Amino acid sequence: MKKNMGSVDRIIRLVLALVVAVLYFTGKISGTVAIVLGVVALVFFITSLVGYCPAYTPLGIKTLKDKK
């Protein structure tokens, strides 16, 4: 599994996951919306830690800059 996410992409995903967590724990979101956003936030969190997004591969997206 080769990394395909750049630093900015990873930071944005972490921030979005944190925002969803704050919204949930402050009671701003609940029910089905909270579950769906929670799953998305969890995926964002894991992919940002690993540096690899499986959805990017078939789409040919790579936000990681090549080292020269």
Side-chain angles (χ1 to χ4, degrees):
M1 176 168 59
K2 189 175 179 182
K3 291 186 177 189
N4 63 0
M5 292 174 56
S7 298
V8 174
D9 191 4
R10 294 170 76 177
I11 290 169
I12 291 171
R13 287 172 180 249
L14 279 174
V15 169
L16 289 175
L18 181 62
V19 166
V20 170
V22 167
L23 290 173
Y24 175 76
F25 288 115
T26 59
K28 300 294 181 188
I29 58 173
S30 62
T32 305
V33 172
I35 293 170
V36 171
L37 288 178
V39 170
V40 171
L42 183 62
V43 169
F44 277 4
F45 180 74
I46 292 170
T47 56
S48 67
L49 291 181
V50 175
Y52 174 76
C53 179
Y56 281 4
T57 303
L59 298 173
I61 299 170
K62 184 177 178 184
T63 59
L64 181 66
K65 294 181 181 177
D66 292 328
K67 293 182 181 180
K68 293 183 180 184

